[in-house]
Amino acid sequence: MSSTPSALAANLRVTYADLLRTLSLLEAGEVECASLETEWTPKALLAHVAFWDRTQTQRLQDVLAGVTADSGFARPASTNDVRAQADATRSLDAILVEVEQARADLISLTEALTPAQLETPYREGDSWLTPSRLIAHMANHTRQHERELWRYCGSMRRWTRAGLRVFLARQDANLMDSIGGLSEAALIAPGVIDNWSIRDVLVHILAWREYGYRVAKQWPRVDKVSLAPWLEGATKDAINAQLLAARAALNMIDIADGLTTYHRRMLKLLDQASDAQLASIGDPGQGEPGELSGFVYGLTLHEMEHAEEIWRFRVEQDGDKTIGD
């Protein structure tokens, strides 16, 4: 299957943006010093992405110009691990500039190629290189390292059980504070957040809290049949619509009680779990398997995003009132 220059460039942009977004979940000290599953620091991981973006950009330029048709691709003299050790001592600011420029150069080269150039196999010593495949590989390379970074963010390499519990409690309080003082009319007004009311957002969170509790209670051997309402649907939007429809009869008291109930149940599970259980690997039925701590962390981030939407609505609403006054 052929890929257009614009589609390949867009994938390079998206995977790079995802990498930076996941990096932003870490504190500054963690970016410098945290130990990932490879025992690299996040800073060294960024430098690694920059190095291979730069190396493969030059490789593409050479193969397109016929420079390496006979000689082939000269692999770097140093290993990834050796470079990671050196990069761990470098300035983070310098690495951030480097990774930004390296990805920009790869994107610029991709967009400058014609569809024919992308799909033409070019001789590279004893082998052949097709630019579209190498560019797609570089986007996937970034995605793989973003997932490595994501796994660390929620892992027991980063958290303690007490710390994770505090994190959950703090975010639940933030969610409850976000709706404090709002009238029922404001809560049920349609189209406040995209096509949803604030009530819809809260029901959405409630549904996924129920899912999270069901998964965590069964961990690590999760029965996916019991999770059918959360897993079976044509699209994620369709699943969310089904979950809302199934809870259409809930009033605001029911919703608030449900949110509190499932929050407390999850905290109780955390209190009862050992560190080994929190670090155990399971499959929640969505995406890749991971640690229980990472699953709980991901669910909480999801709630944080929706709480931020509610806070943003309140700020905008207050701003409109000020303008009106």
Side-chain angles (χ1 to χ4, degrees), residues 40 64 75-76 186 194 276 311 314:
W40 296 358
L64 289 164
R75 292 204 159 270
D194 294 328
W311 280 117
R314 297 191 67 155

Side-chain angles (χ1 to χ4, degrees), residues 76-323:
S78 59
T79 67
N80 290 331
D81 286 335
V82 167
R83 288 192 301 275
Q85 290 178 356
D87 290 330
T89 65
R90 295 174 55 202
S91 159
L92 175 60
D93 288 340
I95 289 174
L96 288 170
V97 170
E98 185 177 281
V99 72
E100 180 77 24
Q101 187 60 58
R103 180 50 57 104
D105 290 345
L106 181 56
I107 289 172
S108 294
L109 175 58
T110 299
E111 292 179 325
L113 297 178
T114 66
Q117 286 175 312
L118 279 174
E119 300 304 331
T120 298
Y122 293 87
R123 186 182 171 194
E124 189 180 49
D126 295 332
S127 60
W128 297 83
L129 184 149
T130 303
S132 65
R133 293 180 182 177
L134 180 58
I135 294 167
H137 166 76
M138 293 312 297
N140 189 53
H141 175 252
T142 308
R143 184 176 293 108
Q144 289 175 343
H145 285 299
E146 183 273 328
R147 298 316 296 168
E148 177 186 349
L149 199 57
W150 166 254
R151 288 191 294 274
Y152 170 77
C153 286
S155 73
M156 292 303 287
R157 294 175 72 95
R158 184 188 189 198
W159 292 97
T160 62
R161 180 174 52 175
L164 189 60
R165 191 188 198 283
V166 169
F167 178 67
L168 263 67
R170 183 185 301 128
Q171 300 314 322
D172 176 71
N174 179 54
L175 176 65
M176 294 298 105
D177 288 346
S178 75
I179 60 173
L182 290 177
S183 66
E184 185 168 357
L187 290 169
I188 66 174
V192 168
I193 298 173
D194 294 328
N195 295 321
W196 284 357
S197 66
I198 293 176
R199 176 204 173 276
D200 292 335
V201 173
L202 296 174
V203 172
H204 170 75
I205 292 172
L206 172 57
W208 287 101
R209 279 192 178 184
E210 181 182 346
Y211 161 79
Y213 174 72
R214 289 191 182 196
V215 169
K217 189 176 181 180
Q218 299 179 64
W219 198 273
R221 290 176 292 278
V222 180
D223 176 19
K224 294 184 181 179
V225 174
S226 68
L227 304 175
W230 292 269
L231 302 180
E232 296 180 1
T235 64
K236 187 178 295 185
D237 287 343
I239 291 174
N240 285 328
Q242 292 164 190
L243 293 172
L244 282 181
R247 293 160 179 79
L250 296 179
N251 59 40
M252 287 308 304
I253 294 177
D254 296 330
I255 296 166
D257 286 348
L259 288 169
T260 299
T261 296
Y262 279 105
H263 173 63
R264 289 175 177 171
R265 287 178 178 178
M266 184 63 82
L267 290 182
K268 185 176 180 180
L269 281 178
L270 286 182
D271 291 339
Q272 294 173 341
S274 66
D275 286 355
Q277 287 173 315
L278 289 171
S280 63
I281 304 299
D283 182 358
Q286 296 191 10
E288 62 191 273
E291 294 181 35
L292 175 56
S293 61
F295 170 72
V296 173
Y297 175 75
L299 285 177
T300 308
L301 282 185
H302 168 249
E303 295 186 11
M304 288 171 60
E305 292 170 357
H306 287 303
E308 182 181 356
E309 291 174 336
I310 298 173
W311 280 117
R312 190 180 302 118
F313 158 74
R314 297 191 67 155
V315 170
E316 292 171 353
Q317 185 182 52
D318 290 343
D320 290 343
K321 288 180 180 178
T322 301
I323 293 171

